[in-house]
Amino acid sequence: MQEQQLGFGIDIGGSGTKGALVDLQTGDFIGERIKFETPRPSTPEAVAATAARIVELAEWDGPIGITLPGVVRGSSMLTAANIDASWLHTNIHDAFQSVLGARDITFLNDADAAGLAEVAYGNPQSRSGAVIFLTLGTGIGSAFLVDGKLFPNTELGHLFVGEEEAEKIASSGVKKSLGLSFTEWAPRLEKVLAEYERLFNPSAFVIGGGISRKSARWLPLLEISTPIIPATLLNRAGIVGAALAAHSPDYLAG
Ligand code: BGC
């Protein structure tokens, strides 16, 4: 019998910090997902303490993958739009290792993690061609995937579309804060996707984040010609992708 390969992922988002043990053969969680609110202010020390609580509750002592909502390079975060600005001046590896102990910790962008998870375990259509994976949450995250291989740290949520950044136009956070119906929100998403289409000409968009669960409500309202595929891993994607990247760091280039 093949030995079960396990990994542990933590997904740090604007509102929640979540972690779970992952079966790396199937991409399924083993046991419960553990979730806490992301502390406010969301400083590295406070968030690392929350991550340590999750790992302790899960009784996991192996390597860990951690997603962050910004550009991640090695032990540094280079942007911090939806998290405390103090991350920009922190050695994130040291901050987490001081509470998680000496073990391998891999950091990566949250959308990159979700995109990698979708390629590995999700809709097979995300595995071929020039795919733009988008995750719509508090912000808009993006992952560029060419035949399943990641070009990391693209930040399409911050591309200006007209006068505004894309994530200020069409994230699910904006939908919620402005109280928009799907009919009111869909043209905003259409405007953003049309600009991405104009500039990058992908073979498909794969759209993830919590809102992909309700794709039947907004997908029929979009008219752009590039195929739009709802992601299948929903809220699991970030955690699963983090666990995968920690186990096989060669998924991450750059
Ligand atoms: C950040 C991205 C992140 C996205 C989703 C954006 O504001 O700049 O790095 O992937 O939000 O969390």
Side-chain angles (χ1 to χ4, degrees):
M1 206 173 83
Q2 212 180 359
E3 204 185 315
Q4 195 178 28
Q5 300 219 321
L6 300 180
F8 199 88
I10 298 182
D11 189 17
I12 297 171
S15 55
T17 296
K18 304 137 254 171
L21 190 61
V22 176
D23 176 339
L24 294 172
Q25 253 112 42
T26 61
D28 293 325
F29 288 167
I30 296 178
E32 290 291 297
R33 180 182 78 149
I34 303 169
K35 177 173 179 183
F36 290 107
E37 274 182 21
T38 300
R40 274 166 207 275
S42 51
T43 58
E45 296 71 29
V47 174
T50 303
R53 244 169 107 194
I54 292 175
V55 172
E56 196 181 323
L57 284 171
E59 299 179 354
W60 173 253
D61 57 10
I64 301 178
I66 298 181
T67 78
L68 292 168
V71 172
V72 181
R73 186 158 297 144
S75 292
S76 306
M77 246 184 123
L78 306 185
T79 67
N82 291 316
I83 197 156
D84 196 80
S86 55
W87 285 80
L88 300 176
H89 316 290
T90 300
N91 181 315
I92 52 181
H93 193 262
D94 292 353
F96 278 74
Q97 213 163 49
S98 69
V99 288
L100 289 170
R103 60 170 109 204
D104 286 340
I105 309 175
T106 303
F107 297 93
L108 72 165
N109 172 265
D110 53 4
D112 284 347
L116 287 175
E118 199 62 34
V119 165
Y121 309 104
N123 190 320
Q125 280 178 275
S126 59
R127 277 171 222 159
S128 56
V131 169
I132 296 185
F133 173 88
L134 297 170
T135 167
L136 308 181
T138 312
I140 292 183
S142 59
F144 276 26
L145 300 158
V146 180
D147 290 337
K149 196 102 184 100
L150 178 70
F151 179 122
N153 286 316
T154 56
E155 285 283 330
L156 287 200
H158 298 290
L159 188 83
F160 273 81
V161 179
E163 300 284 295
E164 271 179 306
E165 288 181 280
E167 73 176 21
K168 300 279 185 306
I169 301 174
S171 66
S172 351
V174 165
K175 178 178 180 300
K176 195 166 160 200
S177 65
L178 298 181
L180 302 174
S181 67
F182 281 103
T183 321
E184 287 165 330
W185 173 74
R188 291 169 164 255
L189 181 58
E190 168 95 18
K191 180 175 174 186
V192 165
L193 294 180
E195 183 68 355
Y196 294 165
E197 180 181 64
R198 187 177 78 81
L199 295 174
F200 302 106
N201 299 291
S203 44
F205 289 110
V206 178
I207 301 201
I211 209 139
S212 50
R213 191 181 307 120
K214 297 186 182 143
S215 62
R217 313 245 334 249
W218 50 264
L219 205 48
L221 305 174
L222 301 177
E223 287 170 1
I224 61 163
S225 52
T226 305
I228 303 175
I229 303 162
T232 55
L233 269 79
L234 308 175
N235 289 336
R236 255 178 40 228
I239 295 176
V240 172
L244 187 65
H247 185 262
S248 320
D250 43 319
Y251 273 106
L252 301 171

